[in-house]
Amino acid sequence: MSTKLHSITFFLEPADNRRLMTLSGRFDEHFRQIENTLFIEIHNRGNQFTLLGPKKLIHQAQIAIESLYKMTENTSEF
C-alpha cells in the first residue's frame, strides 16, 4: 500500500531575510534535517513554504518550521 502524498503552502510572517537565513541554515541544512527526519520535501521561496509528503508528517513539519522561525525573533543565530 502506498502512502498518499499531500501538499500544504504557508507563509512565515513577518518576512525577514535575516531570520529566514538563520532558519534555513547554511546551504539549507536545517531544512534537509527536517526532510530526512520526517521523509517529506520542503520547497521555499522567500517566506513562502510548500511541504510535500504524508499529511500527518507535513503538518508536523509546518509546526516545527513555524516554531523555529518564532525562535529566531530575538536571536541572530540558532
Side-chain angles (χ1 to χ4, degrees):
M1 177 191 290
S2 65
T3 303
K4 184 174 180 184
L5 297 180
H6 297 270
S7 70
I8 55 173
T9 299
F10 62 97
F11 294 85
L12 295 177
E13 298 293 341
D16 180 325
N17 288 335
R18 181 195 58 78
R19 289 175 65 191
L20 289 166
M21 285 175 46
T22 300
L23 174 66
S24 67
R26 189 174 188 191
F27 304 114
D28 291 337
E29 66 187 332
H30 299 150
F31 295 152
R32 300 300 80 85
Q33 289 177 334
I34 294 170
E35 286 178 325
N36 292 334
T37 300
L38 295 177
F39 307 103
I40 64 159
E41 292 181 26
I42 299 172
H43 303 279
N44 78 296
R45 186 167 188 97
N47 69 327
Q48 178 181 340
F49 287 77
T50 300
L51 309 180
L52 177 66
K55 191 173 187 176
K56 183 177 181 179
L57 297 177
I58 60 174
H59 179 67
Q60 289 175 351
Q62 179 181 4
I63 291 169
I65 291 168
E66 289 173 341
S67 296
L68 291 169
Y69 189 68
K70 185 172 178 141
M71 290 171 61
T72 66
E73 188 172 12
N74 297 315
T75 61
S76 59
E77 294 282 336
F78 32 62

